[in-house]
Amino acid sequence: MYFAGLVAIGWMYVTLMMAITQPTVMAGIATFFFYGLLPVTIIVYVMLAPERGRRRKAREAAEREAMLAADMARKNGDKAQDAPRHR
């Protein structure tokens, strides 16, 4: 992943240099946005999709485990109250 970050930084530098050489400010801004910022944003979003999926699955599994633990605690608590108490 570090290599991809380095490539993205390098590409942003190249597009910044391209934008600086444009004849007008608007052309420079358009060049930087359409050749640099927009494509890098899309590529990074797509490259991070598997990581987002893994995090979502882990979060759902943790929530499921917490719900099962709470359900078991509730059931065990009900059984403890129903048991006869000896003095």
Side-chain angles (χ1 to χ4, degrees), residues 19-74:
I20 289 172
T21 62
Q22 294 299 315
T24 65
V25 173
M26 280 306 296
I29 291 171
T31 298
F32 184 73
F33 181 75
F34 289 113
Y35 284 120
L37 196 59
L38 185 65
V40 167
T41 303
I42 292 169
I43 289 170
V44 168
Y45 180 79
V46 169
M47 288 178 66
L48 293 177
E51 180 64 26
R52 284 193 308 273
R54 282 191 291 271
R55 286 182 185 175
R56 181 177 40 82
K57 287 180 183 178
R59 184 177 61 243
E60 289 172 356
E63 290 172 358
R64 196 175 316 112
E65 289 293 325
M67 287 177 59
L68 287 173
D71 190 40
M72 291 299 290
R74 184 180 49 82

